[in-house]
Amino acid sequence: MSSQPQIAIDKVAHVYRPPRGRPVLALEEISLQVQQREFVALLGPSGCGKSTLLYLIGGFLPVEKGSITVNGEPVKAPGPDRGIVFQHFALFPWKTVRDNILYGLERKTMPRAEREEQAQHFIDLVGLGGFEDSYPSQLSGGMKQRTALARTLAFDPSILLMDEPFGALDAQTRHLMQAELLSIWQRTPKTVIFVTHDVQEAVYLADRVAVMSARPGRIKTIVDTKFDKKDAGIFKSKGFVEKVDELWNLVRDEAIKAERRAP
Amino acid sequence: MKSAVFRYLPLVLLAMAWEATARLELVSSSALPPLSEVMVSWIDLVRTGELAGNTGASLYRAGAGLLLAIVIGTALGIGMAWWKPINVLLSPLVEIFYPLPKSALIPVTVIWLGFGNGSKILLIFMGCMIPVTISAFNGARSSEQTLVWSARSMGANRLRMLWDVVLPSAMPELLNGIRTALALSFILLVSSELIVAREGLGYLIGFLGANGSYEAMYAVVMTVSLLGFAADRGYQMLMNRMLRWREQTL
Ligand SMILES: Nc1ncnc2c1ncn2[C@@H]1O[C@H](COP(=O)(O)OP(=O)(O)OP(=O)(O)O)[C@@H](O)[C@H]1O
Ligand SMILES: [Mg+2]
């Protein structure tokens, strides 16, 4: 790899300090470098700090120990270069599906008609045509998740931080969304950090998979997972199946450790 | 429609009982004039324009005081929730002012601003601002972290974020606080007009009572309560409309 990494995470730690109760060490010494246009998946047991890491890269939480740079600049605050799909969607409940998706576009300089067209394109892309005027309280979990996905994709950030973005979807929709994400990623220059619990999904989508250890989170291993995504038979190919297996074992070990350590 | 009739049946019964009690002279007719005569005086008051003029004066005072209280109270409440220094500065003041019976300020506001509109508006503003401030503060503090982050990551600056996320998050709680303020504005309006005023519904009640025109006095009292009822009903409808997004379709 030639140039400097687009995202450089260097020995980052994070401690949560709840107003009551004792501090929680969520991340300990995380280092990871992500190149421009790279697709990296994060795997790890529940509570290991995957969301926390995304919040730090997003600039939502302060980096108190270590450093995170994006394009060489230290991260200080959220910015429109980094779009995030939150694990719990974070849709504006008082806005309709359409207005949620328009929100990010309103802060860009483009004619109104173009904004609406853009929004409609992504509504159709995630299969929510007909629900444009529904409020989030009227949607199923999977529909909310697709709205959140459309909102972030429509906004078109160069870095996508995705926190289990397909977690609430059925297998069928999930496959469709995976394919859409891949095609967007192949068409437009985007760097993706993608949190998932689905090992097969990670291997299929990502160039590299980082496996995190149980809390306090560290990067345990990074595995190369470059496959030809266009190959229809990829899921059954020997190389793919072996990679999934290898990663499964790594993740399972950590899940067991997390289980034992749980209070 | 039918259920609405049923709902207000007790009111009809009360009206009938009132009429009967007065007609049978179970109580002295000066203490309780018959409802029918109260209605007749009401029509007289409407015809002479007395009721309209005084209602106008009262609604102007209540409306102006309430509007100021809503705008300033909301700004202060949200400010307190989002900037520590404002909170440190204001929360002791709010705490001290909260339990004070606001009617105790009637003479004070008269000394400051005289007998006219100013003193009533100031009183209503001060009294109504407290529930609005407190509800805006509580509502704003409950706004979800990830919603704020979401807006920030899509390019909203701090001010926009307050307007786009914190204010709507606070809205359910805030609208309830404003409803309390609305009821309080009527109380403060009438009591301040009863004590010192030259026009307004409270003044009219006091004036007619002192002159022994009890039928007319009752007519004005009924007008005030009807206005209060209508204001609350109208407000509730507005509130439901504004909070439509919370409804789950069943
Ligand atoms: N606001 C908070 N206050 C205190 N502790 C927190 C807070 N948020 C997270 N934590 C702790 O930090 C650790 C990491 O949390 P995080 O949400 O990043 O995990 P995760 O890997 O995303 O888990 P999951 O897969 O279940 O989403 C957890 O053990 C949790 O207890
Ligand atoms: Mg998480």
Side-chain angles (χ1 to χ4, degrees):
Chain A
M1 312 230 181
S2 54
S3 59
Q4 65 173 38
Q6 185 170 30
I7 304 172
I9 303 163
D10 188 34
K11 299 202 186 69
V12 164
H14 189 78
V15 179
Y16 283 105
R17 295 185 191 80
R20 280 172 287 275
R22 65 177 105 109
V24 181
L25 179 62
L27 292 175
E28 187 182 46
E29 278 228 345
I30 291 274
S31 297
L32 178 69
Q33 303 196 332
V34 182
Q35 303 299 322
Q36 193 130 24
R37 301 206 63 164
E38 200 180 8
F39 198 129
V40 172
L42 283 180
L43 277 178
S46 178
C48 76
K50 303 180 294 297
S51 298
T52 306
L53 183 58
L54 290 195
Y55 297 159
L56 286 163
I57 302 168
F60 307 118
L61 295 174
V63 181
E64 286 167 345
K65 202 158 166 231
S67 80
I68 299 183
T69 60
V70 170
N71 296 321
E73 293 286 319
V75 166
K76 288 205 186 72
D81 56 332
R82 284 151 288 147
I84 181 161
V85 180
F86 287 100
Q87 187 171 3
H88 302 293
F89 324 136
L91 297 173
F92 303 122
W94 49 87
K95 285 182 185 287
T96 60
V97 166
R98 181 190 284 108
D99 289 343
N100 261 289
I101 294 170
L102 279 170
Y103 185 81
L105 300 173
E106 273 157 15
R107 232 139 272 94
K108 296 195 166 197
T109 47
M110 60 165 86
R112 194 195 167 81
E114 195 180 323
R115 273 205 301 262
E116 310 235 308
E117 197 179 312
Q118 184 94 334
Q120 194 60 49
H121 169 75
F122 281 94
I123 288 170
D124 294 337
L125 185 91
V126 298
L128 281 178
F131 290 92
E132 291 89 347
D133 297 315
S134 299
Y135 288 100
S137 64
Q138 300 164 333
L139 302 177
S140 74
M143 290 160 91
K144 285 183 208 166
Q145 186 152 51
R146 281 181 281 153
T147 308
L149 201 61
R151 179 173 68 173
T152 307
L153 291 176
F155 182 64
D156 195 27
S158 62
I159 296 173
L160 275 174
L161 307 171
M162 309 180 90
D163 202 347
E164 301 184 35
F166 304 147
L169 304 181
D170 60 274
Q172 189 64 34
T173 318
R174 199 176 176 121
H175 278 301
L176 286 173
M177 292 296 116
Q178 286 171 352
E180 288 298 348
L181 178 62
L182 272 185
S183 95
I184 288 173
W185 174 67
Q186 278 156 352
R187 277 200 313 268
T188 57
K190 283 192 197 310
T191 307
V192 185
I193 301 187
F194 187 100
V195 171
T196 179
H197 283 293
D198 182 334
V199 177
Q200 198 182 24
E201 176 174 81
V203 177
Y204 172 56
L205 292 176
D207 298 326
R208 287 190 297 154
V209 176
V211 179
M212 289 175 69
S213 65
R215 185 171 61 88
R218 291 161 164 273
I219 303 282
K220 182 180 176 179
T221 354
I222 297 178
V223 179
D224 271 309
T225 52
K226 270 211 166 84
F227 286 95
D228 179 13
K229 328 270 186 202
K230 292 205 181 68
D231 176 5
I234 174 181
F235 290 106
K236 293 195 194 79
S237 74
K238 187 159 176 285
F240 186 87
V241 172
E242 278 175 4
K243 268 285 189 263
V244 171
D245 237 31
E246 175 190 342
L247 277 159
W248 247 121
N249 290 330
L250 288 166
V251 173
R252 200 186 44 214
D253 290 349
E254 286 309 318
I256 291 168
K257 274 188 218 159
E259 184 86 8
R260 287 217 188 102
R261 217 173 296 169
Chain B
M1 206 46 218
K2 210 169 184 174
S3 72
V5 173
F6 261 121
R7 238 166 87 79
Y8 293 112
L9 192 64
L11 272 181
V12 177
L13 293 178
L14 180 70
M16 278 158 57
W18 176 350
E19 184 72 19
T21 314
R23 288 284 169 210
L24 298 173
E25 306 225 10
L26 295 177
V27 294
S28 88
S29 68
S30 64
L32 193 70
L35 181 58
S36 51
E37 279 170 33
V38 171
M39 299 296 225
V40 171
S41 337
W42 188 79
I43 291 169
D44 277 345
L45 283 170
V46 171
R47 208 174 278 151
T48 59
E50 260 176 294
L51 199 58
N54 286 296
T55 303
S58 286
L59 289 185
Y60 168 65
R61 292 162 175 167
L66 197 56
L67 190 70
L68 280 174
I70 291 171
V71 172
I72 297 177
T74 302
L76 289 183
I78 290 183
M80 280 170 69
W82 276 82
W83 284 289
K84 198 96 196 183
I86 299 188
N87 192 5
V88 169
L89 197 70
L90 291 184
S91 64
L93 297 179
V94 173
E95 271 169 48
I96 293 293
F97 201 64
Y98 177 67
L100 176 81
K102 304 306 171 298
S103 44
L105 293 174
I106 294 174
V108 180
T109 57
V110 170
I111 293 170
W112 287 350
L113 297 179
F115 292 83
N117 287 333
S119 60
K120 316 289 179 295
I121 293 174
L122 180 65
L123 179 80
I124 292 168
F125 163 64
M126 290 198 298
C128 295
M129 193 172 71
I130 295 297
V132 175
T133 307
I134 291 174
S135 62
F137 173 72
N138 287 333
R141 272 200 323 181
S142 72
S143 43
E144 229 178 280
Q145 179 91 83
T146 50
L147 291 190
V148 171
W149 287 355
S150 211
R152 296 275 282 131
S153 82
M154 285 185 285
N157 60 26
R158 273 168 200 284
L159 201 65
R160 264 232 86 86
M161 181 268 295
L162 285 182
W163 183 258
D164 289 348
V165 180
V166 178
L167 185 63
S169 301
M171 205 47 96
E173 187 123 17
L174 176 60
L175 290 179
N176 271 321
I178 293 176
R179 190 169 172 210
T180 308
L182 180 67
L184 194 57
S185 73
F186 270 76
I187 297 172
L188 291 174
L189 173 77
V190 174
S191 40
S192 65
E193 287 178 343
L194 265 172
I195 295 175
V196 269
R198 294 201 198 89
E199 54 175 350
L201 291 170
Y203 157 78
L204 198 56
I205 293 171
F207 172 80
L208 294 169
N211 282 351
S213 325
Y214 295 123
E215 296 86 1
M217 185 193 81
Y218 271 103
V220 180
V221 171
M222 282 177 63
T223 308
V224 171
S225 56
L226 265 175
L227 280 177
F229 175 77
D232 189 58
R233 265 308 144 97
Y235 182 76
Q236 267 189 337
M237 270 156 64
L238 179 78
M239 193 167 143
N240 287 341
R241 231 193 130 72
M242 287 180 75
L243 297 181
R244 213 172 25 187
W245 51 268
R246 288 208 304 184
E247 277 166 33
Q248 235 126 7
T249 324
L250 292 178

